[in-house]
Amino acid sequence: MTRVGFLYPGFSAEDDYKAFEDLLGGDVELPLVHTLMREDAHRVDALLDVGSDDVLAKGAQELAAMEVDAAVWACTSGSFVYGWEGARKQVEGVRQAAGAPSSSTSFAFVHALSQLRISRVAIAATYPDDVAQRFVEFLTDAGVTVLSLASHGIATAAEVGHLDPDDALDFVISNDHARAEAVLVPDTALHSAHLIEPMEALLGKTVLTANQVSVWEGLRLAGAATVRPSGPGTLFRSGAAAVRSVLPDR
C-alpha cells in the first residue's frame, strides 16, 4: 500500500482526495492534514500567509508521524504566489519536516505538462485575475506558453468548494483556446475528481486540475505513478516515465 500525504489549507474540496482514492482502485491511501488558514481569501497577502513556513512545517510534522511515502503541499495559489524560487524553498521545508520526498501543486502542474510533453495551455482559473496572473508567471518561468487566461473572480476557497459541478464544467469548456494542448484548472478548492473525464470528452484534449495533478505528483514521488488504464484523465493513463523534474532529487 502506498501512502501519500497532503497538506490541505482549510476546508473546501478535501473530499476530492477520497474520491481519487476510490477511483485509483484501493492500492493507495491519500491522508490529509488540514493546515491553518487564518483568512480564507484569494488575495496575495492572505495566500502568502496560508503558505508560510510555520504553517507548513507544523502540518508536515503531522505527515511525518503518519509515515507517508511522499508529501504534497496541495495548494496552487499558496505556492505560486511565492514565485519560482520561493516555491522551491517551500517544498524543501516540507521535505525536511515530513522526512519524505515532497512537492506542491504548482510544481505538480509543471511535471504533469512535462510528462505529457505539452507546452501550450489555456487556463481556466477560479481566482481573481491578479492572483491568476501569478500562475501565468510561474508557468512562463517553467517554459510553458499560456495562450489564454480566464478568471472566474471567486473571492474565497469556500465559495469555490460549493461551485455547482455543471457551472464548473461550463466554465472550463468555455475557456479553451483552439491552439492549446491542454486546459489547466488550478484551484484545489474545486471538486474535480468526477469532472475530468467529461471535460476531456467534451473538449477532445487533456484537462489538468489541481487536485488531480497533486495526487499524481504524490504517487510519482512515491514511485507509484504507474499507467492506470481506468484514469481519471489522460494524465493517469500516461504514467510518469517522461517527467523531467524541476526539483532537486533528494
Side-chain angles (χ1 to χ4, degrees):
M1 180 70 71
T2 301
R3 178 178 296 156
V4 177
F6 298 88
L7 301 176
Y8 191 88
F11 298 82
S12 48
E14 65 276 5
D15 49 332
D16 231 19
Y17 289 82
K18 181 60 170 70
F20 276 107
E21 195 175 276
D22 293 341
L23 288 168
L24 291 170
D27 61 339
V28 299
E29 293 180 350
L30 307 176
L32 271 74
V33 168
H34 292 276
T35 56
L36 177 64
M37 180 186 282
R38 295 181 179 93
E39 181 182 5
D40 181 7
H42 284 153
R43 289 194 328 270
V44 171
D45 63 324
L47 294 167
L48 289 170
D49 184 65
V50 162
S52 60
D53 291 344
D54 60 328
V55 170
L56 297 187
K58 184 176 184 298
Q61 288 163 7
E62 293 185 50
L63 290 183
M66 297 178 185
E67 299 183 343
V68 296
D69 298 302
V72 178
W73 166 224
C75 183
T76 329
S77 56
S79 48
F80 67 65
V81 291
Y82 278 83
W84 188 266
E85 286 306 316
R88 284 174 66 114
K89 291 177 182 177
Q90 241 185 5
V91 168
E92 176 59 17
V94 171
R95 185 195 68 79
Q96 290 181 3
S102 300
S103 188
S104 69
T105 307
S106 293
F107 288 117
F109 272 109
V110 173
H111 291 149
L113 292 170
S114 173
Q115 165 63 25
L116 297 169
R117 296 182 172 86
I118 287 174
S119 61
R120 301 187 311 275
V121 304
I123 299 174
T126 50
Y127 320 121
D129 187 67
D130 65 322
V131 173
Q133 289 289 347
R134 299 269 186 129
F135 188 46
V136 174
E137 294 168 10
F138 189 90
L139 292 176
T140 300
D141 285 343
V144 178
T145 300
V146 178
L147 297 173
S148 64
L149 168 66
S151 301
H152 205 307
I154 300 177
T156 69
E159 292 174 79
V160 175
H162 287 99
L163 194 64
D164 182 84
D166 287 338
D167 290 342
L169 189 146
D170 287 344
F171 173 66
V172 173
I173 65 174
S174 298
N175 287 290
D176 183 22
H177 186 285
R179 292 193 293 115
E181 300 165 282
V183 180
L184 276 51
V185 190
D187 194 343
T188 58
L190 180 70
H191 290 89
S192 68
H194 297 293
L195 293 179
I196 298 163
E197 292 292 337
M199 287 174 180
E200 289 195 340
L202 288 166
L203 289 171
K205 65 178 63 175
T206 298
V207 173
L208 298 176
T209 74
N211 289 329
Q212 174 201 29
V213 299
S214 296
V215 172
W216 172 85
E217 177 82 331
L219 293 175
R220 183 187 72 81
L221 290 171
T226 55
V227 175
R228 295 177 182 267
S230 60
T234 302
L235 178 61
F236 280 100
R237 293 191 289 271
S238 73
V243 174
R244 291 174 295 165
S245 179
V246 297
L247 294 171
D249 185 15
R250 302 276 181 163

